[in-house]
């Protein structure tokens, strides 16, 4: 009788260990699994968002590096041309208009100063960005100074491409006027100064040569050609700037919509977690 009583006591103890409500145990298991799913989804979403943020920072770094490289090459080339034009131009013995000489000197000086400023900014910032871009690590983008120096990079790029090229076109027109204006006038003045031989019978009047406007026509032709080029350049610069601003605005709008979707997803998951 004792063994049977012990068996009954063991079965009673096992019955006490079993849950009184099996459905509640199943609900707890499902809730634990759902919590793990929500946690895993949240971590995956945060990791994807972090990777997209790193990708955006790297894209900005590469864009800043490309702008600085373009600015340095363009500024070095155009400033060298301006200095050569300033040194190699030979002023003839001609009564130049004072406004032309002042405009030529001021335009050349401003052109060289603008390009040298862009070249200085590129030379100072570009090595730091190059050093970071050569490191194959996602977190190394935070060590680059391109975000802090963003305004200087944009200023150098604008000076080198927009303002610098426009000043270079103006410089070409002024050089044409300085170089070609005296050509016909000096030759006609020399012809005018030569007197005809005086005959014994009669006194010959001094010969006056017809004015030669070939140099003035050449300078005017260069101006007529360059003015439409300058207008097209300004229109393209404005159109490109507006298109670039529109593209950036669309990108920011898309990023804001993605952030709103992420927020709604996180709010929905947090609400479901609280309900569970």
């Amino acid at each position: 009788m004792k063994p049977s009583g012990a068996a009954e006591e063991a079965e009673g103890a096992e019955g006490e260990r079993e849950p009184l409500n099996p459905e509640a145990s199943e609900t707890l298991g499902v809730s634990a699994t759902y919590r793990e799913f929500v946690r895993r989804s949240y971590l995956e979403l945060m990791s994807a968002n972090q990777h997209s943020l790193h990708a955006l920072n790297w894209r900005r770094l590469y864009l800043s590096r490309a702008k600085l490289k373009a600015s340095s090459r363009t500024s070095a080339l155009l400033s060298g041309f301006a200095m050569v034009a300033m040194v190699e131009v030979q002023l003839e013995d001609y009564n130049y208009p004072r406004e032309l000489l002042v405009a030529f000197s001021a335009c050349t000086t401003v052109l060289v100063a603008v390009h040298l400023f862009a070249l200085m900014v590129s030379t100072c910032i570009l090595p730091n960005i190059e050093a970071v871009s050569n490191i194959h690590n996602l977190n190394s983008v935070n060590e680059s100074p391109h975000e802090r120096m963003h305004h200087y990079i944009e200023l150098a790029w604008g000076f080198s491409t927009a303002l610098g090229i426009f000043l270079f076109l103006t410089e070409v027109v002024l050089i044409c006027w300085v170089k070609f204006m005296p050509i016909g006038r000096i030759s006609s003045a020399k012809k005018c100064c030569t007197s005809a031989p005086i005959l014994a019978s009669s006194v010959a009047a001094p010969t006056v040569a017809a004015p030669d406007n070939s140099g003035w026509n050449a300078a005017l032709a260069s101006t007529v050609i360059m003015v439409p080029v300058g207008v097209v350049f300004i229109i393209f610069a404005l159109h490109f700037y507006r298109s670039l601003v529109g593209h950036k605005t669309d990108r920011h709008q898309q990023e804001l919509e993605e952030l709103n979707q992420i927020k709604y997803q996180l709010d929905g998951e947090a609400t479901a977690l609280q309900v569970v």
Side-chain angles (χ1 to χ4, degrees), residues 210-222:
D212 187 7
N213 295 327
S214 58
W216 192 86
N217 292 331
L220 185 61
S222 66

Side-chain angles (χ1 to χ4, degrees), residues 82-101:
M83 288 299 298
V84 170
M86 185 72 176
V87 173
E88 294 296 331
V89 66
Q90 297 179 358
L91 299 179
E92 303 290 342
D93 188 9
Y94 175 73
N95 188 15
Y96 288 96
R98 184 179 61 182
E99 293 79 7
L100 178 62
L101 296 178

Side-chain angles (χ1 to χ4, degrees), residues 49-268:
N49 192 17
Q50 189 71 17
H51 284 299
S52 63
L53 182 60
H54 282 302
L56 179 62
N57 291 331
W58 277 103
R59 188 182 69 84
R60 290 176 179 174
L61 186 142
Y62 288 137
L63 180 61
S64 300
R65 186 180 69 172
K67 286 183 177 180
L68 289 175
K69 285 185 176 181
S71 299
S72 62
R73 288 194 295 264
T74 306
S75 297
L77 185 63
L78 296 185
S79 61
F81 280 154
M83 288 299 298
V84 170
M86 185 72 176
V87 173
E88 294 296 331
V89 66
Q90 297 179 358
L91 299 179
E92 303 290 342
D93 188 9
Y94 175 73
N95 188 15
Y96 288 96
R98 184 179 61 182
E99 293 79 7
L100 178 62
L101 296 178
V102 172
F104 175 68
S105 176
C107 183
T108 306
T109 305
V110 174
L111 175 62
V112 174
V114 165
H115 282 296
L116 287 182
F117 175 77
L119 186 61
M120 180 189 68
V121 172
S122 302
T123 305
C124 294
I125 302 178
L126 187 58
N128 298 297
I129 297 179
E130 287 282 356
V132 175
S133 63
N134 292 329
I135 301 175
H136 301 287
N137 188 4
L138 291 177
N139 295 324
S140 63
V141 67
N142 299 322
E143 301 177 2
S144 176
H146 66 281
E147 291 292 342
R148 185 184 295 269
M149 300 292 179
H150 175 71
H151 298 288
Y152 295 101
I153 294 173
E154 294 295 330
L155 186 63
W157 185 63
F159 275 5
S160 178
T161 55
L163 182 60
I165 295 178
F166 181 76
L167 289 174
F168 187 78
L169 295 177
T170 308
E171 178 80 6
V172 171
V173 175
L174 293 175
I175 288 175
C176 290
W177 279 100
V178 171
K179 193 69 178 177
F180 294 131
M181 181 180 284
I183 287 179
R185 308 298 177 87
I186 293 178
S187 60
S188 61
K190 289 181 179 179
K191 291 179 182 179
C192 179
C193 293
T194 57
S195 58
I198 301 175
L199 300 177
S201 59
S202 62
V203 177
T207 59
V208 178
D212 187 7
N213 295 327
S214 58
W216 192 86
N217 292 331
L220 185 61
S222 66
T223 306
V224 170
I225 293 173
M226 197 60 69
V227 166
V229 174
V231 172
V232 171
F233 172 77
I234 294 174
I235 293 174
F236 173 76
L238 294 176
H239 177 70
F240 174 76
Y241 179 75
R242 291 186 60 183
S243 301
L244 187 62
V245 170
H247 175 69
K248 288 184 177 180
T249 304
D250 295 338
R251 288 292 304 167
H252 290 321
Q253 187 68 27
Q254 184 178 359
E255 291 174 0
L256 288 176
E257 292 178 357
E258 292 177 357
L259 289 176
N260 287 329
Q261 292 179 359
I262 293 173
K263 178 180 178 297
Y264 292 149
Q265 291 177 2
L266 292 178
D267 291 341

